[in-house]
Amino acid sequence: MDNFLWLNGKPTSQGYIKVLPEHFVVKENLGFSFAGHGEHFVVKIHKVGENTKYVVNELAKACGVKSRDVSWAGLKDRHAVTEQWLSVHLPGKTDPDLSQFEAEHPGIKVLETARHDKKLRPGDLVGNWFELRLTDIDAPAAVIERLEKVQQHGVPNYFGEQRFGRGGNNVVKARAWGNDEFRVRDKSKRSFYLSAARSWLFNMVLSARIEQQNVHTVILGDCLQAPGRHDSELVETLDADWLRKVDAGELAITAPMVGDNALPTSADAEALELAVIDAEPALLKLIRDNRMRHERRPLLLKPEQLTWQQEDNDIVVSFALPAGCFATAVVRELMTVRELEGEHYANSDQ
């Protein structure tokens, strides 16, 4: 992640996150209500110290189905306290008794159940709410000063290091695959490497805009996107109205999630983006060979409901983020995270 610039310069303070699972709390927000009927049994799970896929496998056993019959809206960290919904395809069957499932798995609790007429699919959520305890901070006042800036200006909307694997291994593998050094047949590995490739290019473009000091500034040829929309507006002529809409949060400046089709930007924005992505020919070839479709992602991320409280050398921070955004991107702008001895928790499964 040191390849990518910070919005307000590299933090001077240091501290820890995730020393204990309860220091990283995540609660899922689906943003819709269940139908109350249908073939899908939905379960709200509270879990500690378990990854989502393990819970999926164990829940499938408890319901007497195969793992592929259980789905989710989003993966959640293992070394954390998390709440999320899972759906189980149980057509024509009554709701199962999960008391034995809970008894056999002390790290898992069933909070609610319901019925729905559709299965949950990845991305079927509005976002997540986080409560993080940043511990043993050497300069808490500096972190609070940065929190005030984050509240006003947001943070770079980077993909977190968990997207890239330990030591950036997913990007390394993606480059090698793009160079035809080996073939990837495993579906999950293909997905990891392709996601890492696109995320890396996005982060690099975002970092380049920070370096050129135009991350808050609309430039000619930018694609601007309204919140919750996938389409974008092209800036063909510069005028004050564009910047007013960006400042008001009505539109966001975007960077590419590169696909096999041409960039939708033009002029200065297109030149900036091409200079970055053309420097990674292996990743670009991989994305195009796999016919990925171009998308846009906002440059900046403004945490909602952001609050904090200092407790000696700890700071408890809470905020809500849209789906697909990373709490680690917020923490990265606040302080440098010290490495924990033993297990490396950066490569969580969220």
Side-chain angles (χ1 to χ4, degrees):
M1 293 299 290
D2 284 348
N3 287 278
F4 314 126
L5 296 180
W6 291 260
L7 193 59
N8 299 296
K10 187 173 182 177
T12 56
S13 52
Q14 298 184 350
Y16 294 99
I17 62 170
K18 297 187 180 181
V19 173
L20 299 173
E22 53 265 35
H23 292 175
F24 199 93
V25 179
V26 189
K27 296 183 180 181
E28 195 171 70
N29 177 17
L30 292 182
F32 61 87
S33 299
F34 296 117
H37 58 83
E39 296 184 348
H40 301 277
F41 175 61
V42 288
V43 187
K44 189 176 185 179
I45 295 290
H46 175 282
K47 63 183 183 65
V48 182
E50 304 290 0
N51 69 39
T52 301
K53 290 184 178 179
Y54 171 78
V55 178
V56 164
N57 292 336
E58 295 304 299
L59 181 61
K61 293 176 188 176
C63 294
V65 299
K66 295 181 178 180
S67 294
R68 66 169 178 263
D69 295 316
V70 183
S71 57
W72 58 89
L75 296 175
K76 296 292 181 287
D77 290 86
R78 180 177 69 81
H79 193 70
V81 176
T82 68
E83 292 181 8
Q84 71 176 121
W85 286 94
L86 304 174
S87 69
V88 186
H89 192 213
L90 292 176
K93 297 181 180 179
T94 58
D95 293 356
D97 180 359
L98 297 179
S99 56
Q100 186 63 29
F101 167 72
E102 289 186 279
E104 293 175 355
H105 302 89
I108 305 171
K109 293 181 182 177
V110 175
L111 300 180
E112 296 178 51
T113 63
R115 280 279 177 169
H116 196 45
D117 52 3
K118 297 181 180 67
K119 68 180 283 187
L120 290 176
R121 298 179 184 276
D124 282 351
L125 72 163
V126 171
N128 296 287
W129 178 85
F130 298 87
E131 182 180 272
L132 314 182
R133 178 176 286 271
L134 314 179
T135 58
D136 198 21
I137 302 168
D138 58 4
V143 173
I144 290 173
E145 182 180 345
R146 281 182 167 257
L147 277 163
E148 291 168 349
K149 292 180 179 178
V150 168
Q151 193 169 51
Q152 186 173 2
H153 301 294
V155 301
N157 193 17
Y158 286 131
F159 289 92
E161 61 185 312
Q162 53 265 62
R163 178 58 59 93
F164 306 118
R166 183 171 299 184
N169 183 64
N170 289 350
V171 182
V172 174
K173 292 287 189 182
R175 287 196 188 104
W177 182 14
N179 281 326
D180 296 321
E181 295 175 23
F182 66 97
R183 292 184 179 182
V184 182
R185 302 189 185 278
D186 182 86
K187 187 176 179 181
S188 63
K189 287 184 178 180
R190 291 175 68 91
S191 177
F192 285 146
Y193 299 157
L194 284 166
S195 293
R198 299 176 83 205
S199 302
W200 183 264
L201 293 177
F202 172 88
N203 280 12
M204 291 300 291
V205 171
L206 172 50
S207 186
R209 289 197 69 141
I210 294 174
E211 184 178 25
Q212 295 180 23
Q213 299 183 351
N214 58 21
V215 73
H216 291 290
T217 305
V218 178
I219 63 176
L220 194 64
D222 261 331
C223 282
L224 307 183
Q225 197 172 64
R229 297 291 296 270
H230 295 292
D231 58 333
S232 55
E233 298 183 49
L234 181 66
V235 178
E236 298 182 275
T237 56
L238 289 175
D239 61 62
D241 196 46
W242 289 122
L243 188 56
R244 181 195 64 77
K245 289 181 178 180
V246 169
D247 288 342
E250 297 172 19
L251 293 172
I253 307 169
T254 64
M257 293 295 294
V258 178
D260 66 345
N261 43 336
L263 292 174
T265 46
S266 65
D268 297 342
E270 182 186 28
L272 185 155
E273 293 176 2
L274 284 175
V276 174
I277 65 177
D278 285 348
E280 288 278 7
L283 297 184
L284 198 55
K285 177 179 177 297
L286 177 66
I287 291 165
R288 288 173 174 168
D289 285 351
N290 284 273
R291 306 299 300 272
M292 306 295 291
R293 301 303 297 170
H294 186 95
E295 299 171 299
R296 304 296 294 183
R297 176 180 171 95
L299 293 177
L300 296 176
L301 169 64
K302 207 164 189 179
E304 299 177 358
Q305 306 165 38
L306 175 61
T307 63
W308 60 86
Q309 180 177 339
Q310 183 177 350
E311 299 177 6
D312 297 324
N313 290 330
D314 294 359
I315 297 177
V316 180
V317 186
S318 65
F319 50 85
L321 298 180
C325 296
F326 288 74
T328 49
V330 178
V331 175
R332 182 179 183 272
E333 196 69 19
L334 302 176
M335 68 181 196
T336 298
V337 177
R338 294 192 184 105
E339 287 289 334
L340 290 164
E341 294 183 7
E343 187 170 354
H344 184 73
Y345 294 119
N347 296 282
S348 57
D349 66 344
Q350 77 173 3

